[in-house]
Amino acid sequence: MAENNAAKDAAMEMAESARETEWKFPSFTAEMFRGNFRWDLLHPYPEQDPEDKRIGDELIEKTREVMEQHDPILLDETGVFPQATLDGLAKIGLFGMKISKEYGGLGLTQWNYARLLRFMGSYCQTTVTYVSAHQSIGVPQPLKLFGTKEQKQKFLPRLAAGEISAFALTEPDVGSDPAKMSTSATPTEDGSHYLINGTKLWCTNGPDSKLMVVMAQTPPLQKNGKEIKQISTFVVETESEGVELLHRCNFMGLHGLSNGLIKFTNVKVPAENMIGKPGMGLKIALTTLNAGRLGIPAASTGTLAGLIEPIQDWVTSRVQWGVPIGRHQSISKKIAGMVADIFAMDALVYLACSFADRANADIRLEAAAAKYFCTETSHRVLDELIQVRGGRGFETDTSLYNRGERPMPVNRFARDGRVGRIFEGSSEVMHLIMAREAMDTHFKLVMPLMMPKPGQKESKLSLIWNAFKFYSTWYPSLYMPSSTDFNVKHLDGACQEHLAYAARTSKRLARSLFHTMAKFGPKLEFEQILLSHFVEIGVDLFVMGCCLAKAEQLLDKNPKDKTPVELADLWCKGARERIEDHFRKVKHNHNSDYNKVAKAMMEGKYNWMASDVFGDLPPKYRDWAQKTPSLANSEDRELQQASTES
Ligand SMILES: Cc1cc2nc3c(=O)[nH]c(=O)nc-3n(C[C@H](O)[C@H](O)[C@H](O)COP(=O)(O)OP(=O)(O)OC[C@H]3O[C@@H](n4cnc5c(N)ncnc54)[C@H](O)[C@@H]3O)c2cc1C
């Protein structure tokens, strides 16, 4: 058990050291968790610059021409990705969307990048994953953030011209916790090269890529008699000797995605291909993922927006019990929720993109909120749309067409989109990131007092004084009424009340979070269910702000069109119900019952219910289970044993 805790502590310490610790620019969400609803950061809702819009419009048209030749239905059925699509996209420069013009790219703003991914996400999610894995997390992004001029000159023009890149972080034994990776990069004797050894799993674009960002362990540092693990990042040419595609992975959706298990055996990489300094690897990986996180939400918004017209057609033309099904209240609720959700997703995505473009806001929380909110929402809505389509929601497009009915890609989109909640940081990990950042102020002020680190410089007295100075003004301020001067001209009474609710509720959120922290102290970290309520409240308040700012902007442009305010109002009403429910569950819950039953389940105490079942594999395949233990790593099996016994 001690070993178990030590391993966990080491992983946490490493993840913590890879975090951005400074808040150089304001973050709407971070401020909100401190009780400060910074409406001034959301309103007036940003507008895309007309010249930038023209660039985006033109590129969307060019992309449309390429995509019209691409058949996503055939791709879904055969799993064969057409090379012509990649060639066509490369020709119009789509592999250089985020690479600056200086290096031969299109130098798109984040806003236009999101528009492009949204557009492609409404048509073929395999293609959008290809394109976004290349630029959101593949070689362009870490080089843009951390590369030297020489590295940029060497690699970016090749990538802008269409060479595909991949991002190799995950390994068979490490996913959400990459700090424990085992791939190694050992310097050669003369220091001119590194030899990479290890295996990387689920590398999107890996089988087709020419260049890959690979995270690997370099020799550890010795500090104060302690060994400090170093993870570093390299650009690897996939044609180098020793790079081997062991297996092409296939999935429940995203058929035809180029994805593989890749083995590196003594792959010789020039030392100058290291991005950043030794030991910066995890920070580079996490920062790359932070910045890249806005791509997936944009694509998932497009997926839903593309279904508005087909679903409208379906719910008005399908008549059951004498009326169109859209008029049965159970269906009305789903389709009304769908359009309100799309409005909210768009409002959130473009606001976060404008923060990223202006480069005067810290977007790590907003990007995590966007990834979490958009992928969870699109998954829920797509599942509801399968329901709205009834039996047709379960039938394939081709089958529908072959018997003479209009196909709608609802179930293909649902299968393709499901992985959005898992890759580039799972929803649970987004919760952890947001919870950690939400408590950052308190961590900085209180943790050095509660859990002093060895070698901590500040005296206890000065720590107490700093905490006192902050809390003596901050805490009473949470009981002061919030300002109601929102400087809005068009929002109706209901929406203005939503705004006032959001402002006062962010104070309530900060109070409740603080009280909970005072109650649990450092143990709060283990109260994930409790923390998730705070995160959910925070996300909903942020999205309420986005919806209201967006509605005000659209009304300002066209006061006669009340549709934006209807959508914002409906979305905010739903959010307020959820928020009140979360506050209730912070106070009254049965979280300890979950812990108890889950522990018993892990010990096999409920296996009696597994009688009269067939087992997971047909008899013919039973030896598969013996040949492939669920945990490949023996150290992990021991830890699992220890934690079940404890
Ligand atoms: C189609 C596809 C494409 C991918 N592309 C790439 C790629 O290009 N490059 C790359 O490096 N990786 C890629 N991945 C890997 C992906 O990023 C990982 O699947 C993801 O990070 C989760 O890791 P895991 O699957 O090992 O799950 P695990 O880490 O084993 O987690 C299993 C479950 O436990 C939860 N969990 C884990 N830790 C915690 C915790 N501390 N608290 C609460 N819950 C927790 C997770 O959220 C998840 O629900 C891809 C995966 C897929 C399926």
Side-chain angles (χ1 to χ4, degrees):
M1 185 58 190
E3 244 178 66
N4 189 357
N5 279 339
K8 190 172 176 199
D9 287 351
M12 296 286 284
E13 210 174 292
M14 189 142 195
E16 189 62 21
S17 68
R19 263 187 72 241
E20 283 283 326
T21 48
E22 294 301 314
W23 294 89
K24 290 190 197 112
F25 298 109
S27 150
F28 174 84
T29 316
E31 292 270 348
M32 192 190 54
F33 278 115
R34 283 194 288 268
N36 233 345
F37 187 79
R38 291 278 307 271
W39 176 241
D40 60 306
L41 294 177
L42 310 182
H43 170 71
Y45 190 89
E47 187 87 57
Q48 188 176 21
D49 169 73
E51 175 55 15
D52 197 44
K53 181 168 179 323
R54 189 193 58 73
I55 294 170
D57 290 347
E58 270 179 20
L59 195 59
I60 285 182
E61 278 322 301
K62 284 188 193 164
T63 310
R64 186 194 301 278
E65 281 169 28
V66 176
M67 294 308 286
E68 273 172 358
Q69 308 304 314
H70 171 87
D71 181 346
I73 297 178
L74 188 68
L75 170 62
D76 186 51
E77 289 182 354
T78 61
V80 179
F81 197 93
Q83 182 60 37
T85 304
L86 294 180
D87 295 343
L89 296 177
K91 206 164 157 197
I92 60 168
L94 236 66
F95 288 98
M97 278 195 281
K98 283 184 87 184
I99 296 173
S100 69
K101 288 188 178 155
E102 188 187 351
Y103 299 109
L106 299 179
L108 290 195
T109 54
Q110 186 69 38
W111 192 300
N112 270 339
Y113 181 62
R115 284 183 68 196
L116 254 293
L117 294 192
R118 186 185 187 279
F119 177 70
M120 293 170 92
S122 68
Y123 188 66
C124 176
Q125 294 184 10
T126 302
T127 312
V128 86
T129 307
Y130 229 117
V131 171
S132 98
H134 164 77
Q135 12 230 329
S136 295
I137 56 174
V139 179
Q141 187 68 17
L143 273 194
K144 184 175 164 183
L145 296 171
F146 297 96
T148 61
K149 196 155 196 256
E150 292 71 33
Q151 288 172 332
K152 290 178 187 168
Q153 276 165 346
K154 187 171 166 193
F155 298 117
L156 292 181
R158 287 170 54 185
L159 296 161
E163 282 192 8
I164 293 165
S165 75
F167 175 84
L169 177 67
T170 307
E171 298 180 1
D173 290 335
V174 296
S176 305
D177 172 20
K180 275 185 70 191
M181 72 175 57
S182 61
T183 297
S184 63
T186 314
T188 52
E189 252 176 47
D190 61 0
S192 65
H193 288 79
Y194 283 84
L195 295 178
I196 300 191
N197 283 287
T199 308
K200 294 288 181 182
L201 181 60
W202 293 323
C203 208
T204 299
N205 298 355
D208 293 342
S209 65
K210 288 272 185 274
L211 293 169
M212 243 185 220
V213 194
V214 180
M215 264 54 71
Q217 273 198 64
T218 41
L221 262 188
Q222 301 292 334
K223 206 170 169 187
N224 304 330
K226 216 172 137 191
E227 196 166 89
I228 301 174
K229 202 168 171 177
Q230 300 284 286
I231 291 175
S232 306
T233 305
F234 298 88
V235 179
V236 176
E237 302 266 359
T238 56
E239 277 164 14
S240 312
E241 208 179 321
V243 180
E244 189 188 350
L245 174 65
L246 290 184
H247 173 74
R248 265 180 193 270
C249 304
N250 294 308
F251 304 101
M252 66 182 262
L254 296 183
H255 294 167
L257 185 72
S258 161
N259 185 293
L261 175 69
I262 293 173
K263 188 171 178 193
F264 299 81
T265 312
N266 286 328
V267 178
K268 203 168 171 188
V269 180
E272 63 266 19
N273 280 19
M274 182 187 283
I275 309 180
K277 297 208 162 54
M280 274 179 72
L282 204 55
K283 189 170 203 139
I284 292 175
L286 299 185
T287 315
T288 297
L289 285 167
N290 268 343
R293 234 161 233 147
L294 291 176
I296 292 176
S300 32
T301 310
T303 301
L304 291 190
L307 288 170
I308 294 179
E309 186 279 323
I311 291 296
Q312 180 203 355
D313 179 32
W314 167 249
V315 295
T316 46
S317 61
R318 176 69 175 172
V319 174
Q320 290 291 287
W321 308 84
V323 289
I325 58 162
R327 284 179 35 205
H328 294 302
Q329 231 185 9
S330 305
I331 301 298
S332 313
K333 186 176 176 217
K334 292 183 180 58
I335 56 176
M338 168 194 184
V339 281
D341 281 330
I342 297 170
F343 177 77
M345 289 160 81
D346 263 334
L348 166 57
V349 167
Y350 287 116
L351 193 100
C353 287
S354 101
F355 283 155
D357 283 334
R358 281 183 276 158
N360 60 356
D362 191 311
I363 61 152
R364 78 189 97 149
L365 270 169
E366 286 69 21
K371 158 84 173 46
Y372 171 71
F373 174 72
C374 293
T375 54
E376 289 288 329
T377 305
S378 94
H379 168 71
R380 176 178 44 74
V381 172
L382 285 165
D383 188 62
E384 282 172 1
L385 294 184
I386 292 178
Q387 198 66 19
V388 167
R389 289 275 286 155
R392 287 159 182 83
F394 197 64
E395 192 172 0
T396 66
D397 288 347
T398 314
S399 174
L400 280 159
Y401 176 75
N402 285 343
R403 62 178 187 78
E405 282 200 30
R406 178 178 176 174
M408 290 177 198
V410 180
N411 74 44
R412 171 163 59 87
F413 282 177
R415 282 185 287 111
D416 289 345
R418 178 61 183 83
V419 72
R421 296 170 61 208
I422 299 170
F423 62 13
E424 292 189 26
S426 67
S427 290
E428 290 77 10
V429 169
M430 293 304 100
H431 263 216
L432 291 183
I433 291 176
M434 287 188 270
R436 169 65 189 84
E437 303 302 349
M439 295 190 301
D440 194 45
T441 309
H442 307 302
F443 264 31
K444 280 185 183 141
L445 287 165
V446 181
M447 280 306 153
L449 275 167
M450 285 180 165
M451 299 172 78
K453 282 200 175 140
Q456 192 167 287
K457 287 197 183 91
E458 278 165 302
S459 71
K460 203 169 173 184
L461 209 62
S462 90
L463 289 170
I464 292 173
W465 174 239
N466 284 342
F468 173 76
K469 260 195 321 195
F470 175 77
Y471 287 114
S472 59
T473 52
W474 175 78
Y475 187 69
S477 78
L478 298 180
Y479 288 91
M480 301 289 174
S482 16
S483 161
T484 47
D485 180 14
F486 297 113
N487 188 24
V488 289
K489 286 193 228 129
H490 304 283
L491 290 182
D492 63 11
C495 282
Q496 295 216 25
E497 165 47 24
H498 295 320
L499 204 45
Y501 171 89
R504 63 177 183 269
T505 307
S506 80
K507 290 192 177 216
R508 185 175 164 205
L509 171 64
R511 287 197 303 266
S512 183
L513 188 57
F514 177 67
H515 295 156
T516 310
M517 227 190 99
K519 180 173 166 195
F520 287 92
K523 288 195 182 134
L524 183 56
E525 175 203 332
F526 302 105
E527 296 293 326
Q528 287 192 350
I529 307 177
L530 208 51
L531 286 172
S532 76
H533 293 304
F534 293 115
V535 170
E536 295 284 352
I537 294 169
V539 172
D540 272 345
L541 288 176
F542 172 41
V543 182
M544 278 178 77
C546 297
C547 285
L548 294 164
K550 175 88 191 158
E552 168 73 8
Q553 181 210 40
L554 293 176
L555 282 171
D556 194 40
K557 282 190 194 164
N558 182 3
K560 284 196 189 131
D561 181 5
K562 302 289 180 207
T563 52
V565 86
E566 284 162 15
L567 295 173
D569 179 43
L570 179 65
W571 199 88
C572 290
K573 282 179 175 144
R576 288 175 67 166
E577 275 169 17
R578 287 192 299 274
I579 289 170
E580 292 306 314
D581 195 41
H582 286 300
F583 275 122
R584 222 176 354 263
K585 287 177 180 156
V586 166
K587 279 200 174 145
H588 308 287
N589 58 59
H590 48 274
N591 297 349
S592 58
D593 293 337
Y594 289 119
N595 296 344
K596 194 171 82 186
V597 174
K599 183 168 180 284
M601 192 273 184
M602 288 170 80
E603 289 163 358
K605 287 194 177 151
Y606 305 120
N607 290 2
W608 51 266
M609 286 188 289
S611 63
D612 291 342
V613 294
F614 214 105
D616 59 347
L617 290 170
K620 186 175 145 195
Y621 300 100
R622 292 253 161 90
D623 67 328
W624 281 17
Q626 275 132 33
K627 286 185 194 156
T628 53
S630 49
L631 281 176
N633 177 321
S634 60
E635 186 200 344
D636 277 350
R637 268 200 298 277
E638 281 159 26
L639 288 178
Q640 186 204 37
Q641 182 77 16
S643 85
T644 315
E645 280 163 10
S646 70

